[in-house]
Amino acid sequence: MALDLYADPVDITAALVDIPSVSGEEAAIADAVQEALTRQAGHLEVVRNGDAVLARTHLGRPSRVILAGHLDTVPVNRNLPLRREGDELHGLGTVDMKGGDAVFLSLAATVPEPRHDVTFVFYDQEEVEAVRNGLGRIERELPDWLRADLAIVGEPSNAGIEAGCQGTMRVELRLEGRRAHTARAWMGVNAIHKLAEPLQRLAAYEAREVEIDGLRYHEGLQAVRISGGVAGNVVPDEAVLAVNFRFAPDRTPEQAEAHVREVFDGFDVTVVDSSPGALPGLSAPAAAELVAAAGGKAAGKLGWTDVARFAALGMPAVNFGPGDPTLAHTREEFVHAAEIRQVASVLREFLSPR
């Protein structure tokens, strides 16, 4: 499908949604994006990396901004093709995050001499395990393409700026017992019953709130899964409690782990995975300009997004995209056309020469 980058970003969104691009199957949409940028944005250097498409200006500006969006979606769930209902665009990817991609593609073609040099990164496989994320491959193979003074990730944020993001960690507590027949339960030790103490600690846990750069972050420590049991007449000898810790970006992963181990002191704790948060960095000049263009308002991102990857590379990063993030990955996913146009308007003001 040919993309018209000079069309209304709402129509570009619709065109992108109708190109299926489940993670690992992004070749068709990457082809369309590459062809459109090459044909309609001749002022940009355009390269292909796997099923990621990158483009950038070379204007010698004193600062550079990255606009980044992933091209893939979660699996189809009876929500394709796109359906329009008044101001709403319904369908897979409308929120997460082809609306944001459409805005970036529109700007790539229609703002040929931006006030900042701009790098556009349309990448693959964000919706699957982190090791497959296209940003990681780009960082390894084309590291100079990920150097800038500010990164804007077009993840859905209700058309408001969400700065930084919280870190996330998953841990498991493994409790051991001794098997026995339930008719003679006193001869065994029930591992599931041993979960009572750590669950009570979670129930009594008071989550920390912290303010950073004027933004409030709210931590959370929650049980997310319990497994155990052998059969209907056997005292279980093992039980596992999985816990997710969302931690404010002023904690390092090491500090977050130390805190979790303190909460569960006396229990066997194993870290399953961990991703650092990202400080908002709104005092950086480019970030401050963006917030001003958006009306001077920003909020802290409570979830984890790829802004953390950019922050790890030494730059402030924000989420700014159309759509309600609570609708992401749902069959009911939809975005308001007004939000797409609002994000496009703010970024156009931010990038346009003054």
Side-chain angles (χ1 to χ4, degrees), residues 217-293:
Y217 295 88
H218 194 300
E219 296 185 331
L221 188 66
Q222 292 288 314
V224 294
R225 188 183 70 254
I226 291 176
S227 59
V230 181
N233 59 354
V234 178
V235 174
D237 60 347
E238 183 178 81
V240 178
L241 171 64
V243 176
N244 181 221
F245 183 35
R246 297 293 176 132
F247 55 94
D250 62 338
R251 292 192 201 257
T252 65
E254 292 76 20
Q255 291 169 332
E257 179 181 347
H259 176 68
V260 171
R261 291 189 181 279
E262 180 181 2
V263 171
F264 296 114
D265 183 44
F267 291 91
D268 178 20
V269 176
T270 301
V271 176
V272 177
D273 62 36
S274 176
S275 296
L279 290 166
L282 295 184
S283 59
E289 288 179 18
L290 175 61
V291 173

Side-chain angles (χ1 to χ4, degrees), residues 63-111:
S63 58
R64 179 173 290 276
V65 174
I66 290 175
L67 299 181
H70 63 82
L71 296 172
D72 62 320
T73 69
V74 296
V76 181
N77 186 15
R78 291 182 289 170
N79 49 2
L80 283 181
L82 178 101
R83 185 180 81 259
R84 295 199 191 211
E85 294 184 4
D87 178 60
E88 299 172 354
L89 278 69
H90 292 252
L92 177 62
T94 50
V95 168
D96 193 13
M97 54 163 287
K98 292 183 177 180
D101 289 332
V103 170
F104 295 166
L105 285 168
S106 172
L107 295 170
T110 62
V111 186

Side-chain angles (χ1 to χ4, degrees), residues 37 41-47 54-58 118 120 144-145:
L37 288 172
H43 56 283
L44 298 174
E45 175 191 5
V46 180
V47 302
L54 302 92
R56 63 185 174 187
T57 62
H58 292 283
V118 183
F120 299 90
D144 63 303
W145 281 81

Side-chain angles (χ1 to χ4, degrees), residues 113-134:
E113 295 188 4
R115 193 155 48 90
H116 305 274
D117 267 309
V118 183
T119 300
F120 299 90
V121 181
F122 301 97
Y123 60 102
D124 54 322
Q125 302 198 72
E126 187 272 347
E127 298 289 10
V128 290
E129 55 268 31
V131 69
R132 294 168 57 189
N133 190 306

Side-chain angles (χ1 to χ4, degrees), residues 334-350:
F334 75 90
V335 65
H336 291 283
E339 286 198 5
I340 297 172
R341 296 189 179 111
Q342 170 67 12
V343 172
S345 176
V346 169
L347 289 177
R348 188 174 299 279
E349 178 184 347
F350 168 65

